[in-house]
Amino acid sequence: KHLDALLKSGIKIVFLLQSSYDFRLLEDHLRPGIDFLLLNELYSFRKALEEFFSDSHQIFYIANAANRTWAEARMNLCRTFCRERGIPFHFLESSYLWLNDSMTQRNVLNINDESIKRFKKAVARKGKIVCFCSNDYTAFSFITKLKEHKIDPTCYEIVGFDNNTEFRSLHFSSFTRDPLPQAQALLKLYQDFIRDPENILHRGTGITTYARFIKRH
């Protein structure tokens, strides 16, 4: 009802959907007058897998249980990619970890010691070992835990998601949400609305932008 009230007031609504999971959550609310920008990470992930990781000897997907709702699609894509090419695949999921501070309780996307023990048991001694992490925070936690267990992280190719600025000095690869194409698409939607608001409020448009793989190894 709030969306309907905004539309009746002549206000242009655009959803910024950062994943296919977000789209599934909100698609029931898409109606004439509402546009959306969808960031397609899965296509970018698949292209990167095909271009850079087809020669891998072993692939891991590493996540915290708190990531599952939005990271599971990427994990399944990675699993399918490995099965089609005969590459051994391992999914390591840590349990929820909680940060208890004076302000709030929230899930911290950390990798626990049990996952590192499973990694040590499963990882091959030689070959190209790739570790995809559900985001950059998870990649940072994974690297930290490897060091705590006296394992050299530089022996493996570690890949995160989101390309957070604070982790770029660690030099692991990542997928960036690339805000420039999103901003250009958003500008186009609003320019169309300014030119012809009456008609624009009676149709809905979707524009897809793509994540970009940044290889730092």
Side-chain angles (χ1 to χ4, degrees):
K1 64 183 180 182
H2 299 296
L3 294 173
D4 289 336
L6 291 170
L7 291 170
K8 287 177 181 177
S9 299
I11 294 174
K12 182 62 185 167
I13 301 169
V14 179
F15 289 164
L16 176 59
L17 307 174
Q18 297 284 18
S19 68
S20 55
Y21 174 73
D22 289 347
F23 183 83
R24 291 195 301 272
L25 285 179
L26 292 170
E27 63 181 331
D28 286 347
H29 297 294
L30 294 172
R31 62 196 73 187
I34 296 180
D35 295 341
F36 67 89
L37 302 177
L38 173 64
L39 178 68
N40 190 328
E41 289 183 328
L42 290 181
Y43 175 82
S44 304
F45 188 25
R46 185 183 299 108
K47 295 298 287 184
L49 283 168
E50 292 169 354
E51 184 173 355
F52 298 105
F53 303 107
S54 291
D55 61 343
S56 301
H57 294 92
Q58 200 173 12
I59 290 179
F60 290 80
Y61 192 91
I62 298 158
N64 184 278
N67 302 142
R68 180 175 291 185
T69 53
W70 49 264
E72 191 168 22
R74 293 199 299 250
M75 184 276 291
N76 286 332
L77 190 155
C78 194
R79 189 200 302 273
T80 300
F81 172 85
C82 289
R83 185 174 62 244
E84 290 172 349
R85 289 159 181 79
I87 301 171
F89 173 79
H90 305 270
F91 175 44
L92 302 181
E93 184 179 62
S94 295
S95 57
Y96 281 88
L97 298 179
W98 291 92
L99 171 66
N100 298 306
D101 58 25
S102 59
M103 298 295 291
T104 183
Q105 282 193 335
R106 62 185 178 87
N107 291 323
V108 179
L109 310 180
N110 282 348
I111 300 305
N112 58 20
D113 290 304
E114 182 58 34
S115 289
I116 298 300
K117 290 175 184 175
R118 289 168 56 203
F119 176 77
K120 289 167 67 175
K121 195 174 291 187
V123 71
R125 293 186 180 274
K126 293 181 180 179
K128 180 179 178 179
I129 313 297
V130 183
C131 303
F132 291 103
C133 300
S134 54
N135 59 25
D136 287 353
Y137 290 97
T138 305
F140 170 71
S141 176
F142 180 59
I143 290 170
T144 301
K145 281 293 183 184
L146 287 176
K147 291 178 179 178
E148 288 177 5
H149 284 255
K150 311 299 182 190
I151 302 171
D152 182 5
T154 62
C155 294
Y156 313 109
E157 187 156 357
I158 297 172
V159 182
F161 280 84
D162 299 339
N163 192 35
N164 285 295
T165 306
E166 59 265 43
F167 300 123
R168 292 176 191 171
S169 61
L170 294 177
H171 299 294
F172 58 78
S173 300
S174 190
F175 290 83
T176 182
R177 290 178 170 178
D178 223 357
L180 180 58
Q182 292 181 333
Q184 291 170 334
L186 184 62
L187 176 62
K188 180 185 183 307
L189 292 175
Y190 279 109
Q191 286 174 332
D192 290 345
F193 175 61
I194 290 169
R195 278 195 295 268
D196 191 4
E198 191 62 37
N199 285 326
I200 296 300
L201 284 176
H202 290 89
R203 63 103 169 114
T205 296
I207 297 179
T208 301
T209 61
Y210 297 89
R212 179 166 52 88
F213 181 53
I214 299 176
K215 188 170 175 60
R216 295 193 175 96
H217 297 285

